[in-house]
Amino acid sequence: MTTYIYGIVRRSHPNPPTDMGGIGDPARPVRIVTGGELSALVSDAPENLRPKRNDLLAHQNVLSEAGAAGPVLPMRFGSTAPDDKTVAAVLEERAEHYVERLEALEGKVEYNVKASHDEEAVLHRVMGENPEIRTLTEANRQAAGGTYEQRLRLGEMVVQAVQAREAADAVEIQQELEGAADAVSVGPQSTGWLANISFLVARDETEEFLASVDKLRGDHPHLDLRVNGPLPPYSFVEPGPAPHAAQTAGH
């Protein structure tokens, strides 16, 4: 039976409740696999594992419950190994790395910040920053909309200006917030977001970080900032297990 891995803890970490359920329907019981001075929170992995909502929530719940009792090194959803024996071997093989990461992440959580533009507000800002766009817009207005070529040119100028503003805003968001964080991880670009950035924040400094986000919102009304957290610090775990010993669902 394939072993599903939720996270890694020190061997001295309190065991999860005996009735704790993990992913799957019905929920697979969560158990402990130990290797050297470390332990892993695991369960049996369902066949054809996919990131369904209930399983994502169950994965998060196991990590949250365990994290309440001490530091946990979270694995991303879908992390599996061929069996418990393989998990124990990886814990011993990678002990130095895992212990270092547990120490580095102790008392810290992750906040993910995604940003997009408020379309009307960013167009207003772009117009205010670019005299050439304002001039061409006014010329087209006086010419009853202008020619096709003039409208096309204006559209291209606006698109380029918005793209430049997106790049500048992504840099500014990171610069404004990283002072309230211990580490930063820039996530992959995705459609609809101009920035996708994760911040590692000490638990006792979360109010300061969220206050920095609120200030950023107030200073930049053309930005739509969405904050997800506190989360287990997924983005700050890497490098993870040796590739031959762990797999991820869907890959």
Side-chain angles (χ1 to χ4, degrees):
M1 175 68 72
T2 303
T3 299
Y4 184 91
I5 311 165
Y6 299 89
I8 296 170
V9 297
R10 293 185 176 90
R11 186 169 185 166
S12 59
H13 193 282
N15 288 343
T18 56
D19 61 347
M20 177 181 284
I23 62 172
D25 184 18
R28 272 56 171 178
V30 176
R31 61 181 185 273
I32 292 290
V33 172
T34 298
E37 59 183 303
L38 297 169
S39 295
L41 300 161
V42 307
S43 69
D44 291 341
E47 294 183 5
N48 302 317
L49 178 63
R50 292 292 182 270
K52 295 179 291 188
R53 175 176 171 78
N54 287 345
D55 285 337
L56 290 168
L57 291 175
H59 180 96
Q60 180 95 1
N61 182 62
V62 170
L63 291 172
S64 296
E65 289 284 337
V72 179
L73 199 61
M75 297 293 104
R76 291 190 181 277
F77 179 87
S79 298
T80 63
D83 50 38
D84 287 7
K85 184 178 179 180
T86 302
V87 174
V90 171
L91 291 177
E92 295 196 48
E93 178 185 330
R94 304 280 293 167
E96 183 177 356
H97 164 71
Y98 288 140
V99 169
E100 184 275 327
R101 294 315 298 156
L102 279 167
E103 292 175 349
L105 299 179
E106 185 168 6
K108 297 180 174 65
V109 293
E110 177 176 331
Y111 281 90
N112 175 257
V113 177
K114 289 185 172 67
S116 61
H117 275 154
D118 178 282
E119 185 173 347
E120 183 175 348
V122 76
L123 288 175
H124 180 75
R125 175 156 185 167
V126 163
M127 292 281 288
E129 293 174 338
N130 195 312
E132 188 176 1
I133 290 179
R134 291 199 306 273
T135 298
L136 185 55
T137 299
E138 179 60 22
N140 285 0
R141 186 187 67 80
Q142 293 182 1
T147 65
Y148 171 79
E149 289 75 15
Q150 289 172 324
R151 295 195 301 272
L152 182 61
R153 182 186 172 210
L154 177 60
E156 290 174 344
M157 290 174 61
V158 170
V159 168
Q160 291 172 1
V162 169
Q163 289 175 340
R165 172 46 52 195
E166 287 178 349
D169 283 337
V171 172
E172 187 168 359
I173 289 166
Q174 180 173 335
Q175 290 176 340
E176 290 293 323
L177 298 181
E178 63 186 1
D182 291 344
V184 177
S185 176
V186 178
Q189 294 183 346
S190 58
T191 303
W193 305 109
L194 63 92
N196 173 21
I197 310 172
S198 291
F199 298 87
L200 186 67
V201 181
R203 286 186 184 274
D204 58 2
E205 295 177 358
T206 57
E207 289 187 9
E208 177 184 346
F209 177 79
L210 294 175
S212 297
V213 175
D214 286 340
K215 182 178 185 303
L216 190 62
R217 283 194 181 103
D219 293 343
H220 299 78
H222 67 290
L223 289 177
D224 179 10
L225 297 176
R226 303 191 185 186
V227 181
N228 189 18
L231 303 167
Y234 298 108
S235 301
F236 302 91
V237 173
E238 298 298 340
H244 70 277
Q247 303 171 343
T248 301
H251 292 269

